[in-house]
């Protein structure tokens, strides 16, 4: 290919990167594996473009390649999960921090990397809902091809005939797989409340977040308790411990979690939900160091989920966040 054709193809492929990353992320449940899968997809497309006959659109062809890449990656059978998908809730008195390998966990993802810009509010809402942690965890319970069918049909609104062509199968097979996938998801929904977050946040939800920031940064457990739903859940991957209810959550924060007092929160957009990058005080050098990416689930005016992803050396760069903040007085000067 000539340099001009190569440059043109690179630009055409790149236009699809965000939506393909979203698709691969929903398939794989891993931020980094999704980006690897998309890069593999782009390389395969670039290498085989001269064989692309144009019988389908470039977008459909890329989704076919991405689907095959993801199905290959899923043959090991690993299902990423949240702590509550693997173990029972632990009472605070028995709390122990036991890590599991990275590939155990459903991973967080910045909205900007997986949600393409759209002028259609309904389309944007569906896209956000489809990367929320509860939905992502449900997807991980589906067999790989059912997962692909559900995402293509329900999230991306492909026709059954288009999905059948992509998967080299029949429309009847696609419809059957979709029916089974829907049944599995419906069964899971009966066992857990979905986060009810407006897009954009409504006034009450924004006030709730403002109160949360004030309570957390002030480490005011009385104020925090008032914001938590009675069945609120706290998770901390890579640890499999998870806690239920305001008493155990705030009890953990004042015991094992006590070093987080005095933390600073920076808003992030993550998994279609409100989130914060948590920096805790650095007792040795001053200023603040990364501690967690927090993802909050909200329903009926209360926080129902409080999920802290602790592998900050991986997550903060992914979100474009600095690995250190100076003291408050310096932050104002630097515009942080």
């Amino acid at each position: 290919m000539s340099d001009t054709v190569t440059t043109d193809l690179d630009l055409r492929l790149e236009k699809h990167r965000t939506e393909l990353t979203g698709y691969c992320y929903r398939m794989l449940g891993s931020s980094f594996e999704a980006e690897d899968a998309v890069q593999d997809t782009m390389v395969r497309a670039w290498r085989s473009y001269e064989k692309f006959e144009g019988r389908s659109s470039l977008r459909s062809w890329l989704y076919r390649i991405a689907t095959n890449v993801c199905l290959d990656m899923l043959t090991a059978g690993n299902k990423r999960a949240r702590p509550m998908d693997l173990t029972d809730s632990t009472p605070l008195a028995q709390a122990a921090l036991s890590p599991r390998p990275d590939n155990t966990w459903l991973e967080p993802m910045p909205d900007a990397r997986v949600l393409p810009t759209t002028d259609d509010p309904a389309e944007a809402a569906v896209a956000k809902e489809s990367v929320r942690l509860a939905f992502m965890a449900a997807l991980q319970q589906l067999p790989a091809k059912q997962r692909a069918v559900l995402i293509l049909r329900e999230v991306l609104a492909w026709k059954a005939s288009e999905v059948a062509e992509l998967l080299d199968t029949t429309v009847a097979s696609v419809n059957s797989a979709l029916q089974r996938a829907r049944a599995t998801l419906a069964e899971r929904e009966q066992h857990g409340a979905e986060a009810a977050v407006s897009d954009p946040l409504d006034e009450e939800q924004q006030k709730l977040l403002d109160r949360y920031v004030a309570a957390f940064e002030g480490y005011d457990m009385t104020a925090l308790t008032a914001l938590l739903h009675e069945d609120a859940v706290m998770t901390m991957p890579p640890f499999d411990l998870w806690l239920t209810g305001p008493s155990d959550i705030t009890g953990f924060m004042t015991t094992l979690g006590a070093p987080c007092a005095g933390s600073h929160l920076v808003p992030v957009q993550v998994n279609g939900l409100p989130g914060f990058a948590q920096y805790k005080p650095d007792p040795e050098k001053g200023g603040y160091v990364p501690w967690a990416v927090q993802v909050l689930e909200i329903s009926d005016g209360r926080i129902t989920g409080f999920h802290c992803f602790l592998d900050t050396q991986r997550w903060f760069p992914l979100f474009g966040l600095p690995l250190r903040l100076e003291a408050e007085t310096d932050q104002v000067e630097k515009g942080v």
Side-chain angles (χ1 to χ4, degrees):
M1 288 188 285
S2 68
D3 290 345
T4 303
V5 172
T6 298
T7 301
D8 179 59
L9 178 58
D10 286 342
L11 292 172
R12 291 174 66 200
L13 294 177
E14 200 60 33
K15 283 197 303 187
H16 298 281
R17 182 177 292 275
T18 301
E19 66 169 313
L20 287 171
T21 304
Y23 176 62
C24 293
Y25 175 59
R26 295 177 185 102
M27 284 291 291
L28 301 169
S30 162
S31 323
F32 296 103
E33 286 185 2
E35 297 201 329
D36 288 347
V38 173
Q39 195 56 36
D40 191 0
T41 298
M42 296 298 189
V43 170
R44 291 189 192 190
W46 199 90
R47 285 176 176 167
S48 59
Y49 184 70
E50 291 181 345
K51 298 177 186 175
F52 174 52
E53 298 172 354
R55 287 180 296 184
S56 62
S57 68
L58 178 66
R59 180 173 181 256
S60 297
W61 184 58
L62 287 172
Y63 269 94
R64 174 188 283 268
I65 298 171
T67 300
N68 289 331
V69 170
C70 289
L71 293 177
D72 287 345
M73 292 174 74
L74 288 166
T75 52
N78 180 50
K79 295 180 180 180
R80 290 179 177 266
R82 302 169 299 171
M84 55 275 233
D85 300 321
L86 301 178
T87 64
D88 291 331
S89 177
T90 306
L92 179 60
Q94 299 170 18
L97 297 177
S98 304
R100 295 203 188 191
D102 290 340
N103 64 3
T104 305
W105 303 116
L106 182 64
E107 297 179 348
M109 179 65 105
D111 286 359
R113 288 181 179 253
V114 291
L115 300 179
T117 304
T118 175
D119 295 326
D120 183 341
E123 186 180 319
V126 168
K128 275 199 168 186
E129 288 169 8
S130 69
V131 293
R132 289 180 181 165
L133 294 175
F135 184 78
M136 288 288 300
L139 283 177
Q140 301 304 301
Q141 300 304 310
L142 299 175
K145 286 199 173 177
Q146 279 187 34
R147 202 179 304 177
V149 168
L150 184 93
I151 296 166
L152 291 165
R153 292 281 287 118
E154 302 277 277
V155 177
L156 301 176
W158 285 40
K159 296 175 182 176
S161 57
E162 294 172 326
V163 178
E165 184 178 351
L166 183 145
L167 294 174
D168 290 325
T169 188
T170 63
V171 169
S173 177
V174 167
N175 289 336
S176 176
L178 180 60
Q179 189 174 11
R180 293 197 302 275
R182 282 173 173 167
T184 300
L185 262 59
E187 187 177 332
R188 283 182 63 89
E189 284 173 7
Q190 294 173 4
H191 296 93
E194 186 64 79
V197 183
S198 303
D199 180 30
L201 295 176
D202 64 33
E203 186 178 353
E204 289 304 310
Q205 290 170 346
Q206 189 57 59
K207 284 181 180 176
L208 176 64
L209 287 185
D210 292 343
R211 290 166 63 199
Y212 169 75
V213 171
F216 194 94
E217 291 189 339
Y219 232 57
D220 183 340
M221 295 302 126
T222 301
L224 189 60
T225 296
L227 305 180
L228 295 172
H229 190 276
E230 62 182 11
D231 295 324
V233 166
M234 178 182 184
T235 68
M236 292 162 283
F239 301 114
D240 58 14
L241 170 73
W242 62 285
L243 301 164
T244 307
S247 178
D248 276 5
I249 291 173
T250 57
F252 178 88
M253 291 174 66
T254 53
T255 53
L256 290 175
C260 290
S263 287
H264 181 69
L265 299 182
V266 176
V268 293
Q269 293 180 303
V270 50
N271 285 85
L273 293 163
F276 297 94
Q278 178 193 343
Y279 290 85
K280 72 172 185 174
D282 183 345
E284 295 180 6
K285 299 179 182 178
Y288 299 85
V289 290
W291 184 248
V293 169
Q294 301 181 358
V295 185
L296 302 187
E297 293 171 320
I298 298 172
S299 187
D300 297 327
R302 290 286 183 272
I303 294 168
T304 56
F306 173 48
H307 307 289
C308 303
F309 294 89
L310 303 181
D311 191 352
T312 55
Q313 294 298 312
R314 299 174 78 213
W315 306 133
F316 276 52
L318 183 71
F319 282 80
L321 294 161
L323 291 175
R324 178 171 187 80
L325 290 183
E326 299 308 325
E328 295 275 2
T329 52
D330 295 331
Q331 288 177 42
V332 174
E333 293 172 11
K334 295 178 182 178
V336 174

